[in-house]
Amino acid sequence: MSANEKVYRAYPSGPPTYQQANSEESRQITQNPDWNYSLLECCSPCSLCFMSSCLPCLTFGKTQARLQDPTLQNYSSINADCMIFGALSLGYLQWIIQTIRRGEMRERLGVKGSCCGDCCATFWCGCCALVQEEKEVELRTRPELTGYQPAPQMAYP
């Protein structure tokens, strides 16, 4: 994967192709046990940094929505996760939900780390952690990296 392709995209682009999704470079990104982005790479892109600093609840909500549906087809800026984060922010308690969701995200994506590390990152560097999480989820859920994912089979109760 070339360096210019590891650039954050606010919204998903084209559909996947079989060849893109099955390359060794794609596997190195999507199955990397380490973060693809450092916690200190939070100033790029400026638009995401600015949004995470001024309205962190929107970035949190978008990341959680992206985890549910990487295409963001039914995405709404003001969603339940955004509102929970915003309400907890009134008492500077948003780091609690962010720690929980960061741990869930790490487990789902196979990123190494610990609850203690998540807690420290979200408490002391909350905005940087939000940027890191959004960029990581966006990169690892790109259609051209993950390939075609068939819809789950319907089941009768």
Side-chain angles (χ1 to χ4, degrees), residues 88-157:
L88 289 171
S89 295
L90 297 174
Y92 195 73
L93 298 173
Q94 78 283 356
W95 62 271
I96 297 170
I97 189 72
Q98 190 179 355
T99 299
I100 293 167
R101 296 290 172 86
R102 185 177 171 93
E104 291 171 353
M105 182 195 75
R106 274 190 316 91
E107 280 186 36
R108 181 174 174 183
L109 300 177
V111 177
K112 293 186 295 188
S114 67
C115 183
C116 184
D118 293 340
C119 185
C120 288
T122 59
F123 187 81
W124 298 111
C125 307
C127 290
C128 293
L130 284 172
V131 172
Q132 181 187 38
E133 294 160 13
E134 171 62 14
K135 287 168 57 174
E136 193 73 27
V137 171
E138 184 277 325
L139 180 66
R140 289 182 187 242
T141 60
R142 281 187 188 167
E144 65 267 23
L145 296 178
T146 58
Y148 171 72
Q149 303 293 326
Q153 296 292 327
M154 291 181 59
Y156 292 102

Side-chain angles (χ1 to χ4, degrees), residues 16-111:
T17 64
Y18 180 77
Q19 190 168 12
Q20 289 172 321
N22 291 308
S23 73
E24 183 60 33
E25 294 168 312
S26 296
R27 280 192 289 282
Q28 287 175 353
I29 289 173
T30 58
Q31 297 173 7
N32 184 4
D34 298 313
W35 294 96
N36 287 298
Y37 296 99
S38 164
L39 191 62
L40 301 177
E41 291 181 67
C42 59
C43 293
S44 172
C46 290
S47 59
L48 181 59
C49 178
F50 183 74
M51 181 65 70
S52 298
S53 298
C54 297
L55 294 168
C57 61
L58 295 180
T59 303
F60 182 78
K62 186 173 190 177
T63 303
Q64 299 309 310
R66 195 183 296 275
L67 281 167
Q68 298 298 318
D69 178 18
T71 64
L72 294 176
Q73 287 180 353
N74 297 319
Y75 169 66
S76 171
S77 296
I78 309 297
N79 56 28
D81 289 304
C82 174
M83 292 171 46
I84 292 169
F85 189 93
L88 289 171
S89 295
L90 297 174
Y92 195 73
L93 298 173
Q94 78 283 356
W95 62 271
I96 297 170
I97 189 72
Q98 190 179 355
T99 299
I100 293 167
R101 296 290 172 86
R102 185 177 171 93
E104 291 171 353
M105 182 195 75
R106 274 190 316 91
E107 280 186 36
R108 181 174 174 183
L109 300 177
V111 177

